[in-house]
Amino acid sequence: MAVVRPFKGVRPNPALADKVAALPYDVMNTEEAREMAKGNPYSFLHVSRSEIDLDENTNPYDEVVYIKAAENLKNMMAEGVLIQDEIPKYYIYRQIMDGRSQTGLVACSSIDEYLDDTIKKHEFTRPEKEVDRINHFDYCNANTEPVFFAYRAKEEINEIINKWVNDHKPVYDFTSDDGISHILWVMDDVEKIAELENLFKKVDYLYIADGHHRTASAVKIGLKRREENPNYKGDEEFNFLMTVIFPDEELMIMDYNRVVKDLNGNTLEEFLKKVEKAFTIEEWKGNEAYSPEGRHTFGMFVEDQWYKLTAKPEIINEEDFVERLDVSILQKNLLNPILGIENPRTDKRIDFVGGIRGLKELERRTKKDMKIAFSLYPPSMAELFAIADIGEVMPPKSTWFEPKLRSGLFIHLLG
């Protein structure tokens, strides 16, 4: 069963929602955050990237930054920029990008279900990357940003959510600067909340789609609060973390592409000869960049020429859920043996470009600071679920989800 619990959300005054809403903290650096929030005292970046309100030389991981975040959150609530609902509620969050919509339920999930693997993972987390959000959540005493969950769609759940959306007026409805629509409904009917909560108990698993480090950080803060409160009962807010849970049928994984610094000492002719041992190579004659048409096809851009690569059947292991992924095939048969990228997590010669940036960005990078680029066909939600179900993890930088959840539209206080 999946625990999906309503909560007393902290959210913007409706008149200020579009000014409060901000991109997630981890898609920008400090300078970019400072520029984004310039002239906007309501931006949630004053909480999620509070170093922007301190001296420019401040270390963004210094304790003073987390103290400032807590202070800014408290002030935004005191000034009515943010308000808290008096009773536990669900929130329905719809995003529309390029005509495609995804509608998720904003709720709280159990930290125990993360620990017992009812909440499935598909990535490793690195403890050093968790520390920042652990401190941030701790000082703010809140889950200040949600994590992005998915589940196998259930018709009964869809019906309730869709009926609520059709029958009620949203409390927020605005379009952000990047053209994405953000619409939020508040579900405050106690009977409907109970019905939805019970239906989720029939859902076997929830899956982390995006935000593994944030999820791990939220769980660790919950465990820290338990240590601080040894007589806890289990229903305290710190036992839960804030999530937005989407049905899989509405989600789309975008490509996550690669650029590499050099040809690892090979001439182009030598490199292509090595590549053709595992892939068929075709010069792409189209006017546009080559975007892979299906699984096991790849685009390659080097020296102002696009190529189409097709993995040869003998290198594909369709029986292994991880090995058959295109990111695995590329890594095992080209990036590692030919270009010398043994560990893509740590090697400074490789970088990753989310599909939202487009294939022109790959061309730009090869002309600026890289030598060669690869475009990939994205994995499916079914592949993500299958790997998570058997307790395996996907290779690093396998999935890119768009649109990103906006921060500041809902916050979960831990006590």
Side-chain angles (χ1 to χ4, degrees):
M1 63 171 277
V3 171
V4 176
R5 164 178 153 130
F7 68 106
K8 299 177 184 178
V10 173
R11 53 190 179 84
N13 179 319
L16 299 173
D18 61 328
K19 296 179 176 63
V20 172
L23 285 166
Y25 81 99
D26 56 351
V27 303
M28 70 197 76
N29 59 34
T30 300
E31 292 72 26
E32 290 168 334
R34 188 174 281 115
E35 186 62 28
M36 289 177 185
K38 191 174 182 179
N40 181 7
Y42 305 115
S43 172
F44 199 70
L45 291 173
H46 295 288
V47 176
S48 61
R49 297 300 298 251
S50 55
E51 71 269 20
I52 66 176
D53 293 331
L54 301 169
D55 185 272
E56 289 186 6
N57 296 319
T58 303
N59 183 328
Y61 307 112
D62 192 290
E63 182 183 28
V64 67
V65 174
Y66 306 115
I67 293 172
K68 186 64 175 175
E71 175 188 314
N72 286 348
L73 177 60
K74 182 179 179 181
N75 288 342
M76 290 176 81
M77 293 180 67
E79 294 165 4
V81 176
L82 297 173
I83 56 177
Q84 184 175 22
D85 287 314
E86 295 181 357
I87 62 170
K89 300 177 181 181
Y90 284 139
Y91 308 89
I92 300 170
Y93 181 30
R94 173 171 290 171
Q95 297 172 293
I96 304 173
M97 183 180 80
D98 298 333
R100 183 182 67 85
S101 71
Q102 57 187 38
T103 305
L105 186 71
V106 186
C108 279
S109 297
S110 165
I111 67 171
D112 290 306
E113 293 196 340
Y114 177 90
L115 298 170
D116 70 17
D117 212 31
T118 298
I119 295 171
K120 298 287 187 180
K121 306 91 176 163
H122 70 268
E123 285 182 10
F124 287 123
T125 58
R126 291 159 54 189
E128 65 271 19
K129 285 192 68 176
E130 297 169 14
V131 171
D132 171 53
R133 286 302 101 172
I134 287 173
N135 288 330
H136 185 82
F137 294 160
D138 195 10
Y139 278 78
C140 290
N141 198 35
N143 302 139
T144 51
E145 295 189 302
V147 289
F148 190 146
F149 278 17
Y151 67 99
R152 289 184 174 89
K154 300 284 186 184
E155 186 177 347
E156 304 95 321
I157 293 175
N158 286 349
E159 286 177 357
I160 292 174
I161 290 176
N162 290 336
K163 182 168 175 42
W164 189 273
V165 163
N166 292 332
D167 292 349
H168 296 80
K169 186 178 178 181
V171 293
Y172 311 141
D173 187 350
F174 65 92
T175 301
S176 50
D177 292 340
D178 53 7
I180 297 171
S181 298
H182 304 269
I183 312 168
L184 191 87
W185 292 263
V186 176
M187 181 179 281
D188 53 5
D189 183 301
V190 175
E191 290 184 5
K192 285 297 173 189
I193 288 173
E195 186 178 357
L196 207 47
E197 192 170 8
N198 284 328
L199 284 172
F200 268 102
K201 290 177 182 178
K202 299 177 184 178
V203 172
D204 292 330
Y205 302 111
L206 301 177
Y207 297 81
I208 303 172
D210 199 11
H212 282 76
H213 286 92
R214 254 171 290 171
T215 306
S217 299
V219 170
K220 287 180 178 177
I221 284 302
L223 295 176
K224 182 174 184 285
R225 291 289 186 274
R226 286 180 175 182
E227 289 181 6
E228 295 165 349
N229 300 273
N231 296 319
Y232 75 92
K233 296 178 180 178
D235 60 351
E236 299 87 351
E237 291 302 321
F238 57 72
N239 295 289
F240 304 90
L241 67 145
M242 182 173 63
T243 60
V244 186
I245 309 169
F246 292 91
D248 61 334
E249 62 190 12
E250 294 191 6
L251 299 180
M252 180 184 73
I253 302 175
M254 297 188 75
D255 44 313
Y256 212 157
N257 303 311
R258 275 85 170 124
V259 287
V260 180
K261 196 84 173 174
D262 53 61
L263 296 183
N264 197 31
N266 294 286
T267 65
L268 179 58
E269 184 179 1
E270 291 168 338
F271 170 73
L272 291 175
K273 189 168 290 187
K274 292 177 180 179
V275 170
E276 67 182 2
K277 292 178 182 177
F279 302 85
T280 60
I281 306 175
E282 304 170 53
E283 279 195 16
W284 185 244
K285 303 298 186 182
N287 295 324
E288 299 294 327
Y290 177 68
S291 179
E293 304 140 273
R295 295 172 67 234
H296 311 331
T297 61
F298 307 81
M300 182 174 73
F301 185 73
V302 59
E303 295 189 6
D304 288 326
Q305 174 65 51
W306 277 99
Y307 298 85
K308 174 184 176 180
L309 306 183
T310 304
K312 293 182 177 178
E314 58 265 29
I315 70 168
I316 302 169
N317 180 5
E318 290 289 3
E319 302 302 314
D320 189 302
F321 289 155
V322 177
E323 291 295 317
R324 73 186 187 189
L325 293 174
D326 285 346
V327 288
S328 299
I329 291 170
L330 187 69
Q331 176 62 31
K332 184 176 179 180
N333 297 280
L334 196 159
L335 295 179
N336 185 359
I338 303 175
L339 293 181
I341 307 294
E342 294 183 13
N343 187 345
R345 291 180 184 275
T346 58
D347 198 311
K348 302 298 184 187
R349 294 171 51 239
I350 189 169
D351 199 5
F352 306 89
V353 180
I356 192 69
R357 304 292 296 274
L359 299 186
K360 289 296 181 185
E361 176 66 9
L362 299 184
E363 296 180 4
R364 188 189 73 83
R365 289 294 300 274
T366 63
K367 295 168 184 176
K368 178 190 175 188
D369 61 339
M370 293 291 181
K371 176 68 176 178
I372 188 168
F374 300 92
S375 58
L376 286 85
Y377 190 77
S380 66
M381 287 301 299
E383 288 176 308
L384 185 155
F385 284 174
I387 290 169
D389 282 341
I390 60 173
E392 295 287 345
V393 296
M394 302 177 84
K397 311 294 184 182
S398 294
T399 58
W400 182 279
F401 285 92
E402 286 286 348
K404 301 295 184 189
L405 305 179
R406 280 309 193 269
S407 299
L409 294 179
F410 22 80
I411 299 111
H412 170 234
L413 300 183
L414 300 180

